Amino acid sequence: MATASQAIAAGSYQTRVVIREHDELGDLAASLNAMASALEEAEQRRVHLIGDVAHEIRTPLATVRGYLEGLADGVVEPSPELFAQLHDETGRIQRLVDDLQELSRVESGRITLHTRPIAPMRLIDAAASRLASAFDEKNVRLSVERRGALPDVLADEDRTIQVLTNLLSNALRYTPGEGEVRLGAAREDQFIRFSVRDTGTGIPAEHLPRVFDRFYRVDPARSRAMGGSGIGLTIARSLVESQGGTISAESAGSDQGSLFGFTLPIAH
Ligand code: ADP
């Protein structure tokens, strides 16, 4: 076990000890193996993250560089449209970096939550009014379902509005004009369930369990073209879970719309 723990400390996370007896030493060996597995998984996640980030930054960076080279060689004519496109591409990188920084803050627990009792409809109205003009612009109807009085939730106001705004902007992004998005809240035992239901593109069943994964996109080209960083839902899940709730996605399939819901505890 001493040899194994030294190997693990030196970075050989695939090292395991053979468990022979189910006594105290055997239990210790099992804990050592569990620790090695956890370290091995964390290392794999770290390696994947670096690969994903490099991949995400490469495309917009290649576009910007290509245009700049064209301009320098005189092959591409400078024009307001070209500069606008360059500006868009750098905006994409900026959003990605901002979202990554936010994700790292949320996942490492470096954000301080200011939770207090708050009326669920107040959160819903704040998110709805933030996005009202974007909905008008795309001609997607945004409605808020109001059912009887609800108890207060224990939540951080800004962070919860951030989650709702994120789900709402996704709903808007994936719902074509003439469609509809409905926002609501209802009591569920000791929780309030917030819901964002849209009549948009929907999500095929095989993709549903993965939409909260970092950089996971059902249709990568389409999502990137629409400016998505692919980590909005990962941040949303972290924010909900850090407030004691859960988040989930449902959809009956392609073009059947989607329903995103999350819970927050009722304040007592
Ligand atoms: P993105 O920035 O790409 O929107 P998100 O993490 O917010 O990243 O969402 C991950 C993926 O989940 C999206 O790329 C999209 O494929 C899918 N998705 C999220 N919300 C919806 C929705 N309301 N309707 C259909 N697909 C959605």
Side-chain angles (χ1 to χ4, degrees):
M1 262 197 269
T3 318
S5 63
Q6 278 158 12
I8 295 165
S12 298
Y13 303 133
Q14 70 288 358
T15 308
R16 298 289 181 275
V17 284
V18 182
I19 302 168
R20 293 185 208 283
E21 308 282 344
H22 288 282
D23 53 10
E24 250 179 88
L25 262 188
D27 289 348
L28 185 61
S31 301
L32 193 71
N33 284 346
M35 184 188 75
S37 302
L39 285 170
E40 196 176 6
E41 275 170 36
E43 176 64 6
Q44 275 166 2
R45 276 201 301 274
R46 189 184 69 83
V47 169
H48 277 143
L49 173 64
I50 295 172
D52 286 347
V53 171
H55 176 79
E56 294 295 327
I57 294 179
R58 187 173 293 126
T59 314
L61 203 56
T63 312
V64 172
R65 211 182 141 90
Y67 281 127
L68 289 175
E69 277 170 7
L71 281 168
D73 297 346
V75 184
V76 177
E77 285 294 317
S79 68
E81 294 75 33
L82 178 65
F83 289 122
Q85 191 163 355
L86 282 171
H87 185 257
D88 274 1
E89 293 294 339
T90 53
R92 220 173 281 251
I93 303 174
Q94 172 88 55
R95 255 194 313 278
L96 178 66
V97 172
D98 289 348
D99 282 357
L100 274 172
Q101 194 172 34
E102 171 79 354
L103 180 65
S104 131
R105 265 201 297 260
V106 177
E107 288 195 335
S108 65
R110 266 184 289 134
I111 57 156
T112 319
L113 293 173
H114 303 283
T115 52
R116 63 181 179 89
I118 182 159
M121 291 322 279
R122 187 184 148 130
L123 299 166
I124 286 195
D125 288 337
S129 70
R130 242 182 233 195
L131 284 168
S133 60
F135 273 80
D136 277 351
E137 223 166 89
K138 197 174 168 186
N139 195 23
V140 174
R141 207 171 107 86
L142 173 60
S143 58
V144 175
E145 288 168 12
R146 288 176 203 280
R147 300 185 206 141
L150 290 171
D152 285 357
V153 281
L154 193 61
D156 176 305
E157 181 169 7
D158 292 343
R159 295 307 188 165
T160 308
I161 294 173
Q162 180 183 347
V163 173
L164 282 166
T165 312
N166 180 272
L167 297 182
L168 264 188
S169 39
N170 274 353
L172 176 63
R173 185 180 290 158
Y174 300 104
T175 302
E178 315 288 314
E180 187 181 359
V181 175
R182 273 192 287 167
L183 247 176
R187 183 168 183 160
E188 203 178 86
D189 297 328
Q190 292 309 303
F191 292 87
I192 295 291
R193 172 171 291 279
F194 292 84
S195 59
V196 180
R197 188 188 294 274
D198 66 58
T199 59
T201 60
I203 301 168
E206 67 271 24
H207 295 282
L208 270 177
R210 300 204 52 198
V211 292
F212 295 99
D213 292 356
R214 182 177 8 98
F215 295 129
Y216 193 80
R217 297 156 166 128
V218 174
D219 181 346
R222 186 169 173 179
S223 156
R224 280 203 192 91
M226 288 195 272
S229 69
I231 41 184
L233 287 179
T234 319
I235 296 174
R237 181 178 57 187
S238 264
L239 285 174
V240 168
E241 290 177 353
S242 62
Q243 296 183 75
T246 55
I247 190 166
S248 59
E250 289 168 40
S251 173
S254 268
D255 291 322
Q256 305 292 308
S258 312
L259 167 64
F260 282 82
F262 67 92
T263 58
L264 287 179
I266 285 174
H268 288 291

